[in-house]
């Protein structure tokens, strides 16, 4: 069949196949585990060549609407993360605002678990780190790298005190994405003396709630802290947008 | 120096080095980013051979108290996940009860985001899937594989409707770990007709809250559903423990 295809009929039949496949994909969105019919069956159903089907599938795959697994078939939806998928790949599929949103849900949970589970030794570490973030803020010269280092160390120590290895791994993954150099400048501009003083105050509130074994208060303090950070970042982005008009 | 070491003095000095290193590691737990001194410096400080230091470090590394990175040095704490770390590796570092706990924090967040963001098309998909989980439960013969398939599809569709690619990837990672065949038997025994009917009722509550755009109610319904599942699993584990005494 393929050999009869001229370029003109091919273009038309690929477009027809693409439109029909888009409808099929929309209808099958609820069934990500069920493969689409084979190329051969699709060609028969739509009355076009297999080559037209292949071209249409290539478009849908490039758009991220379908994905294929060798020997298994073609499936609806973006490629799911496979067992071999790495953090680097995951990081390339996300963006700054998604990471911030994920932190706002994950870290309050970690703070409340830390309030329930932190050992005396871990509490002492949290207290020391909270004090270091205050020192950083009061340093005569602002030291962006030092601020980030100690801030990240405190958030990580809370995640560790939560006592769930899997959630700590997820935290570290988000923290690695967050520290992407491309976002460093944005974060630096979102900091100013007033805000730094607020953040350091937040850190003491969070650690205080963990020390007093109050999971709800620890979660609330962490959520407030991250929402303030998110707002400061949104504010800087908004200023950039307005300056560019 | 190493060449003078007899086996006897070596054993003693390795043990001495190990004790001293354990203290150093405990003190440095707050500073996961700062490397330990070099092997040479540690040998001088503790007055033992470098070979004794190397043996002591090997023990601490095997215990997961320190980790080394070529050219960077030795650090306190378990190996952090690297950019190249895969989901398969992550899955090998966790366990069933950690996954269940992580779900209890992640999925209510996804349900509340879905209530805010689900499109009309996504709502229709959620409704269809909730109805399918009810059909599965009312089937004349219980079909464990079918129940798992439709249950997983509904939870995944909620995660997708939440509109955060990163959080969807994290959900899929947890879902893949959860479906580990080793845990299949445990889950199957945690199901019985009463509980299945409760779960199906829960699914309709969650989808109903999403449809009425009520994020708090959606989160509460999802949290209640997962806590009930967690309790059913704990109950089965408890029965096994008692039967084994």
């Amino acid at each position: 069949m393929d050999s009869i295809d001229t370029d003109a009929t091919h273009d038309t039949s690929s477009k027809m196949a693409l439109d029909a496949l888009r409808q099929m994909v929309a209808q099958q969105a609820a069934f990500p585990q069920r493969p689409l019919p084979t190329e051969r069956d699709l060609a028969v159903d739509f009355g076009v060549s297999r080559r037209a089907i292949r071209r249409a599938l290539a478009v849908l795959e490039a758009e991220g609407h379908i994905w294929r697994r060798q020997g298994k078939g073609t499936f609806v939806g973006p490629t799911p993360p496979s067992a071999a998928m790495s953090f680097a790949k995951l990081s390339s599929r996300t963006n700054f605002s998604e990471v911030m949103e994920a932190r706002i849900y994950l870290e309050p949970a970690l703070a409340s678990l830390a309030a329930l589970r932190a050992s005396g030794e871990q509490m002492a570490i949290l207290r020391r780190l909270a004090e270091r973030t205050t020192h950083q803020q009061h340093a005569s010269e602002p030291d962006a790298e030092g601020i980030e280092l100690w801030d990240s160390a405190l958030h990580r120590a809370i995640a560790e005190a939560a006592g769930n290895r899997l959630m700590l791994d997820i935290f570290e993954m988000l923290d690695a994405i967050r520290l992407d150099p491309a976002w460093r400048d944005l974060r630096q501009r979102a900091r100013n003396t007033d805000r730094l003083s607020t953040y350091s105050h937040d850190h003491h509130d969070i650690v205080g709630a963990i020390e007093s074994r109050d999971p709800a208060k620890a979660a609330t303090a962490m959520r407030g802290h991250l929402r303030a950070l998110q707002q400061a970042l949104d504010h800087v982005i908004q200023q950039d947008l307005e300056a560019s008009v």
Side-chain angles (χ1 to χ4, degrees), chain A:
Chain A
M1 268 291 192
D2 285 17
S3 55
I4 328 176
D5 253 20
T6 68
D7 271 1
T9 64
H10 178 259
D11 282 345
T12 326
S13 63
S14 282
K15 183 72 183 72
M16 272 170 51
L18 185 56
D19 290 342
L21 276 167
R22 275 195 205 287
Q23 279 207 310
M24 179 178 272
V25 163
Q27 281 158 7
Q28 211 169 310
F31 312 101
Q33 290 104 333
R34 190 194 291 171
L36 289 177
T38 61
E39 285 177 12
R40 178 189 296 268
D41 289 349
L42 287 169
V44 172
D45 290 354
F46 299 158
V48 297
S49 68
R50 285 185 65 178
R51 199 168 139 200
I53 294 293
R54 272 199 295 277
R55 287 214 172 173
L57 288 171
V59 172
L60 289 170
E61 191 176 11
E63 288 175 347
H65 289 124
I66 59 164
W67 59 282
R68 310 190 214 193
R69 186 161 286 166
Q70 199 70 37
K72 297 262 183 163
T74 304
F75 300 85
V76 168
T79 321
S82 70
M85 188 169 167
S86 67
F87 288 164
K89 180 78 204 297
L90 193 99
S91 149
S92 75
R93 284 151 71 105
T94 189
N95 60 55
F96 188 65
S97 90
E98 286 192 345
V99 174
M100 201 63 221
E101 186 168 271
R103 288 185 70 195
I104 284 174
Y105 287 104
L106 176 69
E107 294 199 45
L110 292 169
S112 65
L113 289 173
L116 296 170
R117 295 180 185 164
S119 66
E121 203 172 68
Q122 286 170 327
M123 297 266 201
I125 290 172
L126 294 181
R127 176 54 58 198
R128 273 210 297 283
L129 290 170
E131 267 148 28
R132 281 309 293 250
T133 63
T134 312
H135 292 163
Q136 283 296 324
Q137 175 230 324
H138 290 143
S140 48
E141 290 178 48
D143 163 19
E145 211 178 310
I147 290 170
E148 299 241 324
L149 183 74
W150 290 99
D151 181 85
S152 166
L154 174 61
H155 283 265
R156 193 197 172 282
I158 293 169
E160 186 156 12
N164 182 315
R165 173 80 240 174
L166 175 63
M167 290 171 78
L168 174 59
D169 277 348
I170 294 171
F171 167 85
E172 292 200 322
M173 203 170 78
L174 300 188
D175 203 47
I177 303 174
R178 170 174 92 94
L179 295 175
D180 186 299
W183 294 333
R184 184 172 284 260
D185 172 58
L186 191 66
R187 279 200 310 279
Q188 208 157 326
R189 280 155 54 220
R191 279 190 213 106
N192 61 39
T193 317
D194 276 6
R195 288 209 191 95
L196 277 181
S197 148
T198 310
Y199 298 158
S200 145
H201 186 83
D202 288 353
H203 286 159
H204 284 275
D205 279 356
I206 297 164
V207 171
I210 293 172
E211 281 171 340
S212 56
R213 301 278 183 207
D214 188 334
K217 202 171 156 191
T220 305
M222 180 63 91
R223 195 175 297 113
H225 173 54
L226 292 174
R227 287 229 186 268
L229 268 167
Q230 189 185 35
Q231 275 164 20
L233 290 165
D234 283 350
H235 186 73
V236 170
I237 293 166
Q238 203 54 46
Q239 281 180 328
D240 286 0
L241 283 173
E242 278 163 19
S244 72
V245 178

